[in-house]
Amino acid sequence: MKSPPLKGLWYFKTAAELGSFKQAAEALFVTQAAVSQQIRILEQQLGCTLFERQTRKVVLTQQGQDLLPYLHKAFGQIDMGLSTLKADPNPSTINLSVLPSFASCWLLPRLAQFKNALPDYQLRIDPTEQLADFNEDDIDIGIRFGLGDYNGLKSELIAEDELVIAYQPGLINPNKPLRSQLSKHNFIYDEGRDNELAWFELCDQLGLSGHASSNLKIDNAALVLQATVAGQGFSLVRRRLVAQSLALGQLEIHPEFSWQCEFRYYLVAPERHFEWPKIKAFRDWIITELKSTDP
Amino acid sequence: MKSPPLKGLWYFKTAAELGSFKQAAEALFVTQAAVSQQIRILEQQLGCTLFERQTRKVVLTQQGQDLLPYLHKAFGQIDMGLSTLKADPNPSTINLSVLPSFASCWLLPRLAQFKNALPDYQLRIDPTEQLADFNEDDIDIGIRFGLGDYNGLKSELIAEDELVIAYQPGLINPNKPLRSQLSKHNFIYDEGRDNELAWFELCDQLGLSGHASSNLKIDNAALVLQATVAGQGFSLVRRRLVAQSLALGQLEIHPEFSWQCEFRYYLVAPERHFEWPKIKAFRDWIITELKSTDP
DNA sequence: TTTTATACTTAATTAAAACTTAACTATAAG
DNA sequence: CTTATAGTTAAGTTTTAATTAAGTATAAAA
């Protein structure tokens, strides 16, 4: 089925409603010659004249008047259809997809602040290792730790982080150099994605022999922290995840070593989600909150 | 106001309804690569995916399903709008714009035949010298005598004609040469548009001295005929207009002279009118009727 | 009355969008 | 395991739509 001359009809509708080719041209961000031509072509295709040309103005013919209301409805429908795509189906609930480690170590301890800052919004946390499918799952926005390349999605950098040496207070003396102390304790290793380089760097700095020194491998940053708090040894963890335990005196970090993460924290979602009020509000809140705990 | 991506939406609607880019491509008379690209671009512009690509098939996402019904309505409206432009507002009445001379001398005498041939149609005759404005006046079709160039309108040649010498029976002896007889009588001159050349030709042929011989000038072919029937003199008239009077014995024509008219008879109307059943029927009737009275 | 300014038309050129071709991918069916 | 199918992608070409510039007609201003 051949398509109707949609562009011409859009130009016609604009010109008809404004009663002027010139004004239509302005509204359409083109020259009025373009409008004139499109409407001439449309009239040829339809085989009838839509406008009667008078000097310095145009008036709708009977046929133009007949056609206009249909186009009005039609383009209105299209507009409504497109609006539903952009609209937020549930404007008061923020469905957040977030890594379990970040959820338990950073977000949950700050729920009170969130409720205080944004009392009108409900926060629903969906902790998943993999970034949720925004088409399938009912997710509004994700917080991810990575390089910012999330295929087809918009991502916004919200924070950086660094890896530090954490341990139960007393396990290691922060006032003495690391080198001599580390070898006496278990290294609790988080098998996260970009930790390896940092571990190599640490071994390099301290003259250790690499992986061999790792006595406990755990594929979950939250459990690594838990084991560290329990005094199982020392670990290489992100400073932002450890801030809460630090404040509570459950952990200490050694000032000698830190490693800037290659990965960073991003807000991730389809572009249109970033236009929703609740997402804008959440974004502003989390940026402020992250800033307030900047190292 | 920038226009929505109408072409992309049309492609999407087609593909969504057919459930396949390949079938959509066939329906749209393009390659499926074109469909694939258009829909990709549309998805980029909307910032969401409309189809989930599976191997060898595509399925609508939730958003695609949400959008489709709006487009369905919208394009349906456009279709209806365009239909009204093409539609015949009054399918049983033929509003005919015709020259007064042709109306009175040719058409009116054949009304009985028309009613007989097309009993379901009402004929409304609008006799005007100038071709009616199809936008303003409620005219379905015109019969004109001219060159066929009717700005922006479709015209179809339906008959030719020739000018002949007509007179009251007995006024002139058809068996004797014209030359000697004409100078004894008034020449009733119709100031129609292309009669002048014929008159020069006649004068040339007969060795007459041109315009001077015209004793009666009338700007209306029907009145010229009337005057001729009344015995006021001889005239130069179109054979088709005089056929009726000939048949009734009111007039005679001289066999010695005839002049092929440069002008011809045309059906004239906006192109779409020619698609209407009533116009097709009228066209067939008048062509048949004109043929049956061909010289 | 003449001049100027305006709204539109038209033709030629330029820019942009859309289409086709062809090479590639993944997989269901034979 | 091979083939055929439905779709993707990139490069090149064609088509379409835009701008530019010159022209028309006329209402309003000088």
Side-chain angles (χ1 to χ4, degrees):
Chain A
M1 190 161 44
K2 239 186 75 207
S3 79
L6 294 164
K7 175 159 264 163
L9 291 170
W10 177 261
Y11 276 41
F12 164 74
K13 181 216 161 211
T14 308
E17 285 174 349
L18 296 174
S20 147
F21 286 11
K22 185 170 194 274
Q23 282 176 257
E26 270 169 44
L28 295 163
F29 305 109
V30 295
T31 59
Q32 100 249 51
V35 175
S36 177
Q37 285 180 86
Q38 281 298 320
I39 291 179
R40 176 161 47 83
I41 291 166
L42 176 65
E43 288 177 324
Q44 278 172 14
Q45 288 169 334
L46 300 182
C48 65
T49 65
L50 267 8
F51 284 103
E52 189 189 325
R53 273 72 165 179
Q54 299 179 351
T55 54
R56 298 175 58 173
K57 74 173 180 185
V58 289
V59 270
L60 283 173
T61 61
Q62 185 57 51
Q63 311 209 348
Q65 288 174 43
D66 292 347
L67 179 59
L68 187 56
Y70 289 96
L71 298 184
H72 207 84
K73 270 189 237 161
F75 290 124
Q77 283 291 323
I78 288 177
D79 205 46
M80 282 176 61
L82 297 182
S83 296
T84 63
L85 290 188
K86 288 179 202 145
D88 179 358
N90 192 349
S92 68
T93 300
I94 300 171
N95 296 287
L96 178 67
S97 167
V98 66
L99 286 168
S101 56
F102 192 79
S104 61
C105 301
W106 194 93
L107 194 59
L108 292 177
R110 286 169 180 79
L111 272 187
Q113 285 92 317
F114 173 86
K115 288 216 160 78
N116 191 41
L118 302 172
D120 297 338
Y121 293 113
Q122 204 89 30
L123 189 63
R124 211 204 67 194
I125 298 170
D126 188 351
T128 47
E129 283 299 336
Q130 293 306 308
L131 182 52
D133 178 345
F134 285 90
N135 287 317
E136 290 303 305
D137 316 328
D138 180 22
I139 293 299
D140 298 320
I141 194 152
I143 301 172
R144 294 292 128 175
F145 187 64
L147 295 171
D149 50 341
Y150 299 98
N151 178 25
L153 299 169
K154 174 172 172 175
S155 64
E156 182 183 1
L157 176 66
I158 51 174
E160 307 191 330
D161 209 346
E162 50 188 10
L163 289 166
V164 293
I165 303 286
Y167 45 85
Q168 197 183 38
L171 192 78
I172 288 173
N173 187 338
N175 301 315
K176 295 182 181 170
L178 267 171
R179 180 164 189 171
S180 55
Q181 303 185 68
L182 287 190
S183 49
K184 298 174 192 159
H185 302 288
N186 282 329
F187 171 49
I188 308 165
Y189 184 70
D190 177 9
E191 290 182 309
R193 293 169 299 168
D194 78 336
N195 291 357
E196 205 168 349
L197 281 174
W199 175 238
F200 289 157
E201 171 71 14
L202 179 62
C203 294
D204 198 43
Q205 277 190 22
L206 305 183
L208 302 176
S209 56
H211 267 179
S213 315
S214 172
N215 306 105
L216 197 52
K217 288 189 180 181
I218 304 177
D219 186 15
N220 182 315
L223 293 181
V224 166
L225 269 187
Q226 206 175 305
T228 312
V229 168
Q232 302 292 308
F234 70 96
S235 60
L236 201 52
V237 293
R238 279 178 262 150
R239 187 192 290 272
R240 302 201 103 101
L241 298 187
V242 100
Q244 187 71 8
S245 304
L246 237 59
L248 294 171
Q250 297 173 324
L251 287 178
E252 270 185 2
I253 62 176
H254 196 279
E256 194 175 301
F257 180 86
S258 82
W259 168 264
Q260 185 68 38
C261 295
E262 195 186 359
F263 286 11
R264 296 163 173 187
Y265 297 99
Y266 291 89
L267 285 180
V268 185
E271 197 156 2
R272 76 203 126 90
H273 289 204
F274 283 88
E275 301 304 314
W276 297 345
K278 71 184 186 190
I279 297 304
K280 287 183 172 172
F282 179 76
R283 170 188 169 279
D284 291 347
W285 173 77
I286 199 169
I287 287 177
T288 308
E289 197 66 29
L290 282 164
K291 271 231 177 76
S292 78
T293 58
D294 254 353
Chain B
M1 193 161 42
K2 240 187 73 208
S3 79
L6 294 164
K7 174 160 265 164
L9 292 170
W10 178 260
Y11 276 39
F12 165 73
K13 181 214 160 212
T14 308
E17 285 174 350
L18 296 174
S20 147
F21 286 11
K22 185 169 194 272
Q23 281 176 257
E26 271 170 42
L28 295 163
F29 306 108
V30 294
T31 59
Q32 101 251 50
V35 175
S36 177
Q37 287 178 81
Q38 280 299 317
I39 291 179
R40 178 162 46 82
I41 291 165
L42 176 66
E43 289 177 323
Q44 278 172 15
Q45 287 169 333
L46 300 183
C48 64
T49 65
L50 267 7
F51 285 102
E52 188 190 326
R53 273 71 164 180
Q54 301 178 349
T55 54
R56 300 175 58 173
K57 74 173 181 185
V58 288
V59 269
L60 283 174
T61 61
Q62 185 57 51
Q63 312 209 346
Q65 287 174 43
D66 293 346
L67 179 60
L68 187 56
Y70 289 97
L71 298 185
H72 207 84
K73 268 189 237 160
F75 290 125
Q77 284 291 323
I78 287 177
D79 204 46
M80 280 176 61
L82 297 182
S83 297
T84 62
L85 290 188
K86 288 178 200 145
D88 179 358
N90 192 349
S92 67
T93 300
I94 300 170
N95 296 287
L96 179 67
S97 167
V98 65
L99 287 167
S101 56
F102 192 78
S104 61
C105 301
W106 193 94
L107 193 59
L108 292 177
R110 284 169 181 80
L111 271 186
Q113 284 93 315
F114 174 85
K115 288 214 159 80
N116 192 41
L118 301 173
D120 297 337
Y121 294 113
Q122 204 86 30
L123 190 64
R124 210 203 70 193
I125 297 170
D126 189 351
T128 47
E129 283 298 338
Q130 293 306 306
L131 182 51
D133 179 346
F134 285 90
N135 288 317
E136 290 303 305
D137 316 328
D138 180 22
I139 293 298
D140 298 319
I141 193 152
I143 301 172
R144 293 294 128 176
F145 188 65
L147 296 171
D149 52 340
Y150 299 97
N151 180 24
L153 300 169
K154 175 173 173 175
S155 64
E156 181 182 1
L157 177 66
I158 50 173
E160 307 192 328
D161 209 346
E162 52 189 8
L163 288 166
V164 293
I165 303 287
Y167 45 86
Q168 197 183 41
L171 192 78
I172 287 173
N173 186 338
N175 301 314
K176 294 183 181 169
L178 268 171
R179 178 164 189 172
S180 56
Q181 302 185 70
L182 287 190
S183 51
K184 298 175 192 158
H185 302 288
N186 281 329
F187 172 50
I188 308 165
Y189 185 70
D190 177 9
E191 291 182 309
R193 290 169 302 167
D194 77 337
N195 292 358
E196 204 167 349
L197 280 175
W199 174 240
F200 288 157
E201 171 70 15
L202 179 63
C203 293
D204 198 43
Q205 274 189 24
L206 304 183
L208 302 176
S209 54
H211 267 180
S213 313
S214 172
N215 305 107
L216 199 50
K217 289 188 182 180
I218 304 177
D219 186 16
N220 180 314
L223 292 182
V224 166
L225 267 186
Q226 206 174 308
T228 312
V229 168
Q232 302 292 308
F234 69 96
S235 60
L236 201 53
V237 294
R238 279 176 263 149
R239 186 190 289 273
R240 301 202 103 100
L241 298 187
V242 102
Q244 186 72 7
S245 304
L246 237 58
L248 293 172
Q250 296 174 326
L251 287 178
E252 268 183 4
I253 64 177
H254 197 279
E256 194 176 304
F257 180 86
S258 84
W259 167 263
Q260 185 68 37
C261 294
E262 194 188 0
F263 285 10
R264 295 163 173 186
Y265 296 99
Y266 291 90
L267 286 180
V268 186
E271 198 155 4
R272 78 203 123 91
H273 289 204
F274 283 89
E275 301 304 315
W276 297 345
K278 70 184 186 190
I279 298 304
K280 287 182 173 174
F282 179 76
R283 171 188 168 277
D284 292 347
W285 173 76
I286 201 168
I287 286 176
T288 309
E289 197 65 28
L290 283 164
K291 271 231 177 74
S292 79
T293 57
D294 254 354

